[in-house]
Amino acid sequence: MTAFHADIADEFIKTGDLSDEKLRQLIETEECDDILIKAADKVRRRVYGDEVYLRGLIEFTSYCRNNCYYCGIRRDNRKAQRYRLSEEEILLCCKEGYSLGYRTFVLQGGEDMYYSDKMICRIVSSVKEKYPDCAVTLSIGERSEESYRAYFEAGADRYLLRHETADEKHYRMLHPEEMSLSSRKKCLFTLKSIGYQVGSGFMVGSPYQTTENLISDLRFLQELDPDMIGIGTYITHKDTPFSDKENGSLSLAVRLIAILRIMFPHALIPATTALGTIHPEGREMALKAGANVVMPNLSPVRVREKYSLYDNKICTGEESAQCRKCLEKRIESAGYRAVTHIGNVKRLP
Ligand code: SAH
């Protein structure tokens, strides 16, 4: 490693921040990966020990009103297979998840207005009533402040809404005219002010992304100061306008996880399904670089293939209990321990 890069890595590890120019150097070189990953693991062990939190993920609808160019369940994809889970089905997933030890349920879906505020509130409050020792996380896109408040009052604890890219021009290249980065950002601040534990994040290697865009993502996260940060590689879906684009790079994503862990020592950072899809050991690599959450799939097996955000998504054929075992083994092989408590963020006192 050049002394130049060693100095930059050193400064970053010591202070948790760098100038834009130095961040660019750090993001663009592989030279520092070993020391960054080691330092990130040290930080995660100091804050979270060897614990990895489990979140049962229920992908409850594949309908979406949005038309993001990268996403397989975008509105205009006529080939997408659409499904909706009923309230009963969602509760059955939670029942199974609870028996597998999960104490967080993440309800994720396309932006599907079939689920009115009333329905979402009813679903959230039923889950909380049956499983008061569990957290409910929503990930259902952009809704009004009034709606977000209603879900919170119904008992929702956390909300995941990736900003996708914090750069205005890049955002425009990934989304149609009717969507806007400013509304997405506004939603995130609203969610935070309501009292949710908030998660944001971005895709690594999405089409047209530059290092400057990634720096903007890190700066935006510093401004938002979220509890959870989810990143994964962009993966092409064959029935989208981006079908000819290349997948994002795993090593860049792993490097960014290490950078995030060092910048945000307390953040909950998942080893995402996209990373497991792009490489058989992608999630293990993420865990070793500072990720401390995994989100096993709890959706009914018959719908899993249909929640097709990108090609070749993994974990579509296995029953939830098998997913649980498989992930536990992966976590152990990486040197950590799956735990079944609620797994709240550890904030600085
Ligand atoms: N409708 C919800 C949930 C979106 S799906 C919302 O708007 O938040 C969850 C995440 O999958 C997205 O935030 C996006 O970052 C990711 N995603 C979508 N398409 C993808 C692709 N082709 N490759 C990798 N990740 C993708």
Side-chain angles (χ1 to χ4, degrees):
M1 187 180 357
T2 61
F4 173 70
H5 279 129
D7 283 352
I8 291 179
D10 215 44
E11 179 184 346
F12 182 62
I13 291 163
K14 279 203 185 100
T15 66
D17 205 356
L18 286 176
S19 67
D20 284 4
E21 176 49 28
K22 286 182 183 168
L23 260 182
R24 190 177 66 75
Q25 302 280 355
L26 194 65
I27 292 171
E28 288 183 350
T29 183
E30 326 173 328
E31 280 193 23
C32 305
D33 285 354
D34 283 355
I35 47 173
L36 276 181
I37 289 169
K38 263 198 205 108
D41 186 56
K42 214 166 142 189
V43 173
R44 77 92 87 208
R45 285 184 193 270
R46 172 166 58 76
V47 182
Y48 285 100
D50 62 354
E51 297 192 344
V52 174
Y53 299 157
L54 302 169
R55 320 298 200 195
L57 177 63
I58 304 166
E59 299 159 332
F60 71 96
T61 172
S62 67
Y63 284 85
C64 191
R65 63 174 173 177
N66 285 335
N67 231 346
C68 311
Y69 302 142
Y70 46 83
C71 182
I73 63 168
R74 63 198 301 274
R75 181 181 71 223
D76 284 355
N77 181 8
R78 299 273 167 263
K79 292 195 182 149
Q81 299 182 55
R82 308 291 177 176
Y83 70 90
R84 290 184 173 113
L85 297 186
S86 67
E87 297 179 38
E88 291 69 34
E89 287 174 304
I90 295 173
L91 285 168
L92 274 174
C93 292
C94 294
K95 187 174 175 195
E96 184 171 21
Y98 193 86
S99 71
L100 291 169
Y102 303 156
R103 294 296 176 267
T104 294
F105 302 114
V106 181
L107 304 181
Q108 188 182 84
E111 285 196 14
D112 182 2
M113 302 321 275
Y114 166 87
Y115 295 87
S116 63
D117 288 348
K118 246 197 184 147
M119 275 175 84
I120 297 287
C121 288
R122 204 161 55 216
I123 294 166
V124 170
S125 56
S126 314
V127 177
K128 291 293 283 194
E129 199 176 298
K130 287 205 164 68
Y131 309 104
D133 54 336
C134 293
V136 171
T137 305
L138 293 175
S139 179
I140 56 174
E142 297 174 36
R143 298 226 179 183
S144 69
E145 171 163 4
E146 195 188 0
S147 304
Y148 286 154
R149 276 194 196 283
Y151 314 151
F152 188 74
E153 275 154 29
D157 304 274
R158 308 183 186 139
Y159 206 102
L160 301 179
L161 186 78
R162 290 186 180 176
H163 63 274
E164 314 296 0
T165 174
D167 181 273
E168 194 68 58
K169 281 205 203 89
H170 187 222
Y171 189 92
R172 279 273 67 83
M173 297 179 191
L174 304 181
H175 302 93
E177 206 51 53
E178 71 259 20
M179 296 179 72
S180 90
L181 177 60
S182 59
S183 9
R184 196 129 183 122
K185 286 183 173 174
K186 191 154 167 259
C187 285
L188 283 161
F189 287 105
T190 301
L191 288 161
K192 219 179 139 169
S193 74
I194 292 171
Y196 284 96
Q197 291 176 43
V198 171
S200 195
F202 54 91
M203 283 176 291
V204 177
S206 54
Y208 315 109
Q209 185 178 61
T210 63
T211 306
E212 279 65 36
N213 297 155
L214 290 169
I215 296 169
S216 304
D217 289 322
L218 297 174
R219 296 297 179 220
F220 172 68
L221 290 170
Q222 285 177 321
E223 189 193 334
L224 178 68
D225 190 24
D227 302 292
M228 301 158 296
I229 304 173
I231 68 169
T233 39
Y234 160 75
I235 303 174
T236 292
H237 189 291
K238 61 183 187 328
D239 302 316
T240 64
F242 284 168
S243 59
D244 63 340
K245 301 284 186 268
E246 274 181 40
N247 291 343
S249 133
L250 172 68
S251 58
L252 179 58
V254 171
R255 186 178 311 143
L256 281 159
I257 286 179
I259 290 175
L260 287 168
R261 172 57 65 207
I262 294 166
M263 263 191 168
F264 304 93
H266 294 80
L268 296 161
I269 301 177
T272 53
T273 309
L275 296 174
T277 299
I278 201 108
H279 187 282
E281 268 153 42
R283 285 169 299 178
E284 288 87 328
M285 291 160 77
L287 290 171
K288 288 181 189 166
N292 64 333
V293 171
V294 292
M295 300 170 65
N297 201 319
L298 260 186
S299 313
V301 173
R302 70 178 167 79
V303 305
R304 292 214 193 153
E305 293 254 0
K306 299 180 184 162
Y307 197 77
S308 171
L309 306 177
Y310 43 78
D311 290 336
N312 305 315
K313 187 162 160 264
I314 53 166
C315 309
T316 54
E318 290 185 323
E319 290 297 335
S320 300
Q322 293 171 294
C323 271
R324 167 77 164 91
K325 282 202 196 99
C326 160
L327 275 170
E328 186 154 6
K329 261 199 263 158
R330 287 173 185 278
I331 292 166
E332 271 168 26
S333 80
Y336 307 93
R337 196 161 45 93
V339 295
T340 52
H341 59 71
I342 194 163
N344 279 319
V345 66
K346 293 188 182 175
R347 278 272 168 192
L348 279 175

